[in-house]
Amino acid sequence: MTSSQSISPYPTHLLPPLRPSACRGGRVEARVSENVSRDMVMDGDFAPPLPEGRSTRARQNGVVQPLLTDLYQITMAYAYWKSGKIADNAVFDLYFRKNPFQGEFTIFAGLEECLKFLENFQYSDSDIEYLRKTLPPTIEAEFYTFLRQLTVKDVTVYAIDEGSVVFPRVPLLRVEGPLIVVQLLETTLLTLVNYASLMATNAARYRMAAGRHIQLLEFGLRRAQGPDGGLSASKYSYVGGFDGTSNVLAGKLFNIPVKGTHAHSYVTSFLDMSELRTKTLAHRETGQEHDVLALSSAWRKRLALLLETLENEASDGEMAAMISFAIAFPEGFMALVDTSGLLNFCAVALSLNDLGYRAIGIRIDSGDLAYLSNKARETFAKVAQTYNIPWFEKLSIVASNDINEETILSLNEQGHKIDCFGIGTHLVTCQRQPALGCVYKMVEINGQPRIKLSQDVAKVTMPGRKDAYRLFGADGHALIDLLQRSVESAPKVGEKVLCRHPFQESKRAYVIPTRVEPLYKVYWQGGQVCQPIPALDEVRARVQSSLHTLRQDHKRNLNPTPYKVSVSVDLYSFIHELWLQNAPIGELS
C-alpha cells in the first residue's frame, strides 16, 4: 500500500523570516533582523501599494518572483483568460512519486520559502514590460493589465509541517484558488520544494549513518551548483541534521554555526622556520610572552623519542605553519595534518598547553581515514598518559576526503576514531540522485474531480480534494498514511479502519490506530500566513523527532521496508469509478 516596494537581488530564503499571524485580523511581516543589513537590499522597480493586510516591509526577492517560472505557465494563463476562465477555481496537489536515494522516506522542506514567495507575489512594471516584448503581439493589452493586478489573496494552501517525514503520493501542499493564479504558481513552488526536500533528506541520511554523537559539517560551497545552490545546501543540510557549515554567508543569514581551519596552501606557504615573523605568545593567565618556536622545538625532540620516530622526517615548513596558526588562534588551534604531521602537531599543541591553552584537534584530508584516525588517537592517548594531560587523549579528529554515505558506513565497520566529518561534494550535489521529482497536478476544477490517466500506473493521479492522516500503532511507531476524500470523517483512535492500496485491489488491511495525526494545516489563506513559522532550529528538531516515529527497518540503508501509503474505501471507489468513466473503450475488429 502504498511587488512590494523594492527588490532584493538575493534568493527568497535570504529574506528575514516571516512573522506568524492569524488568518483573520493582522498581517504577516518580514522582520529585518540584525543579520540582514540594509546594504543587502538593492533598489529596483516599484510596484503599486500592496493590498490591505499585506506587509509593506517584506521585500520581494529578485530571484524568486513570479517570472521565475516556465513560459508555458504564462501562455496557459493567457489561454485561460482568453477562454473566459477567470472565475474558474481549481485544486492542485504537489507531491512526489518515489523516495530518493533508494530509501523509504523523505524530509519535507522549503515550506517557509513558498510562503515568502506568496507573501511577495506581484508582477512588477518591468515584468509586464518584458512580457509585452516576449509574448506574441497578438496578446491583448487587457491581459497585461489583468496580470499586473493579479494577487494571491484568494489562494488557500494546506501543507504538512516543514521538517516532517513524508512519503510518495501524499500531497505536501494542496493549493486551492482561482485557476489562473494557482496555475501560475506551479513552477516556482516546485523549484522551492524539490531541492530543499532532497537536500534535507540527504543530510538526514548522513546523520543516521554517522550516529548521534559524531559531528557533521557541510563543506560544499565550492562544489555546489552556484551561489544559490550553495546557500540552499548549507541551510537544508543544517535542517537535515548537520551541526555547522563552512559557508560564512549562510552562517550570517541563517544563524548556523560556522566552522573551518586552514587549507593545504597555508601549510605550503611556509618553507622553513625562518619565515616565522611572530614567534611569541602571551601566557593565557600571566600575560607573559613566551617563545613558541623554542617551546615547540623542544617538545618535538622529546616526542620523537616517545613516538619512536625521526625528528628530521618532520617538515620544518609544516611546523612553522602550525606555530603561526597556533599564535593566531591559540584558543582554537586545529591543524590540517598528514601521516608525518602528527609529531609537529603534538609539539605545537603541548607548547600551547604550557601557556595555558588547549588545542582543538586535527583534520585529516587524505589517505586511509580509518587507519589514520586510529593512529592519531593512539598517539594522543600515549602523550596524554606520559605527560599526565587527560584532555589530550580527547582531541578532536576531523575527516574530510570526498566522503559519502557509504564511506561513513564502511568506516563504522572498520572501527574509526573520527569525531567529525566534513562533507562537501556528495552532500550538496546529491550525487546519488540529483532531483526529487515533485509534480504539481490538478485534481479538481470548479468542484469537479479530475484524474490524469497513464499506462504507467505510478503516473495516474488521485482525484479530488483529499486529507491525509498518519495512523500510529501500539508501539508508538507510525503504521500507515491514509488519504481520504475531504468530505469524509477523520479516522478515530480505537476504531477499525480499512486501508486500501490505491491501485492494487488485493492489497488491503485493517488498522486500529492508537493515535491519529492529521497531516494538513492551513498555512496560507486570505492573503496571509495562518500558522506560526518555526525557527530553523525548530524545523531541524522536527526532522529528528519525526524520523524517530518510524520503525528502524524503514530507515535502514540496505533494503529498507517500504512504508505503507493507503486510501480509504470511499476514495478507492472514487478513483476507480472516475478511472472507468475517463478511460477510452477499445474496439476489436
Side-chain angles (χ1 to χ4, degrees):
M1 286 180 256
T2 72
S3 189
S4 59
Q5 295 299 325
S6 60
I7 296 176
S8 164
Y10 290 83
T12 299
H13 59 248
L14 309 192
L15 292 174
L18 293 170
R19 176 176 297 161
S21 72
C23 283
R24 295 177 178 82
R27 67 186 184 183
V28 177
E29 292 185 336
R31 296 193 300 271
V32 180
S33 69
E34 294 178 0
N35 286 344
V36 183
S37 61
R38 291 179 180 273
D39 61 6
M40 290 178 63
V41 180
M42 180 178 71
D43 291 334
D45 43 57
F46 288 81
L50 291 170
E52 184 178 355
R54 286 185 56 193
S55 170
T56 57
R57 295 173 59 195
R59 294 181 173 91
Q60 179 160 342
N61 183 269
V63 175
V64 182
Q65 57 169 294
L67 288 192
L68 185 66
T69 190
D70 295 306
L71 181 63
Y72 78 174
Q73 308 289 6
I74 297 172
T75 57
M76 277 193 291
Y78 178 67
Y80 285 145
W81 180 86
K82 183 74 172 174
S83 301
K85 285 182 166 287
I86 295 176
D88 285 18
N89 278 272
V91 179
F92 282 79
D93 286 344
L94 189 155
Y95 61 96
F96 60 95
R97 298 186 177 113
K98 185 178 180 181
N99 288 305
F101 311 118
Q102 298 178 343
E104 289 298 337
F105 71 87
T106 301
I107 302 299
F108 172 42
L111 175 59
E112 183 183 6
E113 312 312 329
C114 293
L115 297 173
K116 288 177 184 176
F117 168 60
L118 294 174
E119 165 68 13
N120 294 283
F121 183 93
Q122 191 168 46
Y123 289 96
S124 68
D125 289 335
S126 67
D127 292 341
I128 299 302
E129 184 60 30
Y130 172 77
L131 291 175
R132 287 181 188 275
K133 295 175 181 177
T134 303
L135 295 173
T138 54
I139 301 291
E140 298 175 39
E142 290 82 357
F143 174 67
Y144 297 111
T145 302
F146 169 78
L147 278 186
R148 189 65 180 89
Q149 297 172 349
L150 208 61
T151 72
V152 290
K153 65 181 179 64
D154 295 323
V155 172
T156 300
V157 176
Y158 297 79
I160 298 173
D161 287 334
E162 186 165 9
S164 298
V165 62
V166 290
F167 304 98
R169 288 197 168 275
V170 179
L172 310 177
L173 304 177
R174 188 174 84 221
V175 185
E176 305 177 358
L179 171 61
I180 295 177
V181 182
V182 294
Q183 182 72 70
L184 286 167
L185 299 177
E186 175 182 359
T187 300
T188 317
L189 294 180
L190 285 170
T191 196
L192 291 173
V193 170
N194 260 311
Y195 181 69
S197 299
L198 185 73
M199 187 67 233
T201 306
N202 202 22
R205 293 179 62 87
Y206 276 90
R207 169 49 67 199
M208 291 192 303
R212 291 182 299 170
H213 304 297
I214 302 295
Q215 272 208 325
L216 293 176
L217 301 177
E218 177 268 312
F219 283 177
L221 177 58
R222 64 185 59 196
R223 304 286 172 78
Q225 282 90 343
D228 184 45
L231 286 164
S232 294
S234 298
K235 178 179 181 179
Y236 292 112
S237 64
Y238 185 69
V239 165
F242 273 58
D243 299 291
T245 178
S246 64
N247 187 338
V248 180
L249 182 57
K252 177 184 179 182
L253 295 172
F254 310 131
N255 198 30
I256 299 172
V258 289
K259 305 287 184 179
T261 54
H262 61 76
H264 289 282
S265 58
Y266 189 83
V267 177
T268 56
S269 71
F270 289 83
L271 300 179
D272 54 41
M273 304 292 192
S274 66
E275 295 199 11
L276 277 173
R277 305 291 190 271
T278 303
K279 302 177 183 178
T280 63
L281 176 65
H283 192 284
R284 189 172 183 270
E285 296 177 357
T286 68
Q288 184 178 351
E289 292 284 332
H290 292 267
D291 189 327
V292 182
L293 173 57
L295 287 171
S296 298
S297 297
W299 272 116
R300 191 166 74 171
K301 290 182 183 295
R302 295 170 65 183
L303 288 169
L305 295 173
L306 175 67
L307 302 178
E308 299 178 351
T309 186
L310 297 176
E311 184 186 357
N312 60 11
E313 289 184 355
S315 165
D316 284 351
E318 179 188 65
M319 186 166 172
M322 289 186 183
I323 292 172
S324 171
F325 202 76
I327 291 173
F329 299 99
E331 300 276 11
F333 176 54
M334 174 170 278
L336 177 63
V337 303
D338 56 23
T339 52
S340 63
L342 277 175
L343 177 60
N344 282 333
F345 169 79
C346 290
V348 177
L350 288 170
S351 300
L352 288 177
N353 180 66
D354 290 343
L355 302 181
Y357 303 98
R358 288 189 180 184
I360 302 298
I362 62 171
R363 178 165 71 93
I364 305 169
D365 193 47
S366 61
D368 185 331
L369 299 180
Y371 168 77
L372 292 174
S373 66
N374 276 282
K375 178 69 174 177
R377 186 63 70 207
E378 290 171 7
T379 300
F380 297 156
K382 192 171 187 178
V383 171
Q385 184 176 6
T386 302
Y387 301 111
N388 193 26
I389 310 173
W391 62 264
F392 208 93
E393 184 175 0
K394 299 179 181 179
L395 284 166
S396 292
I397 300 174
V398 180
S400 56
N401 181 28
D402 205 24
I403 294 166
N404 58 31
E405 188 180 343
E406 284 68 30
T407 303
I408 296 175
L409 293 170
S410 175
L411 287 168
N412 291 343
E413 294 175 354
Q414 297 174 64
H416 71 82
K417 301 300 180 183
I418 296 164
D419 301 294
C420 173
F421 289 104
I423 305 172
T425 306
H426 289 277
L427 173 68
V428 304
T429 62
C430 298
Q431 284 192 351
R432 286 185 63 188
Q433 182 173 329
L436 178 57
C438 285
V439 294
Y440 186 86
K441 299 298 180 182
M442 182 191 292
V443 294
E444 186 175 292
I445 181 76
N446 296 329
Q448 298 299 311
R450 287 293 183 265
I451 186 170
K452 175 193 173 183
L453 300 180
S454 172
Q455 291 183 342
D456 183 353
V457 174
K459 292 188 175 183
V460 175
T461 62
M462 287 191 274
R465 296 176 79 251
K466 298 170 290 296
D467 291 323
Y469 301 89
R470 186 156 294 165
L471 310 185
F472 292 79
D475 61 358
H477 288 125
L479 280 178
I480 196 167
D481 279 11
L482 176 66
L483 289 168
Q484 296 188 165
R485 299 182 67 192
S486 293
V487 295
E488 294 184 68
S489 299
K492 296 178 181 179
V493 171
E495 293 189 6
K496 186 184 292 186
V497 181
L498 179 57
C499 300
R500 304 200 62 168
H501 188 287
F503 304 112
Q504 296 183 32
E505 187 174 14
S506 63
K507 289 190 175 182
R508 51 191 177 169
Y510 283 112
V511 175
I512 303 177
T514 59
R515 180 160 71 93
V516 176
E517 180 185 338
L519 295 182
Y520 296 138
K521 296 175 183 176
V522 180
Y523 266 92
W524 178 270
Q525 192 174 55
Q528 53 195 339
V529 176
C530 301
Q531 300 289 336
I533 304 302
L536 204 62
D537 281 326
E538 295 177 72
V539 178
R540 184 172 182 262
R542 181 180 289 129
V543 171
Q544 299 308 316
S545 61
S546 187
L547 281 170
H548 190 67
T549 65
L550 296 185
R551 297 197 315 263
Q552 189 58 40
D553 58 304
H554 295 309
K555 299 181 287 186
R556 66 191 177 204
N557 179 264
L558 184 63
N559 298 323
T561 303
Y563 180 86
K564 295 176 175 61
V565 173
S566 65
V567 298
S568 66
V569 174
D570 193 1
L571 180 55
Y572 177 87
S573 300
F574 185 65
I575 293 169
H576 290 267
E577 287 171 8
L578 203 61
W579 193 337
L580 290 175
Q581 291 173 18
N582 286 270
I585 301 175
E587 181 177 330
L588 300 177
S589 60

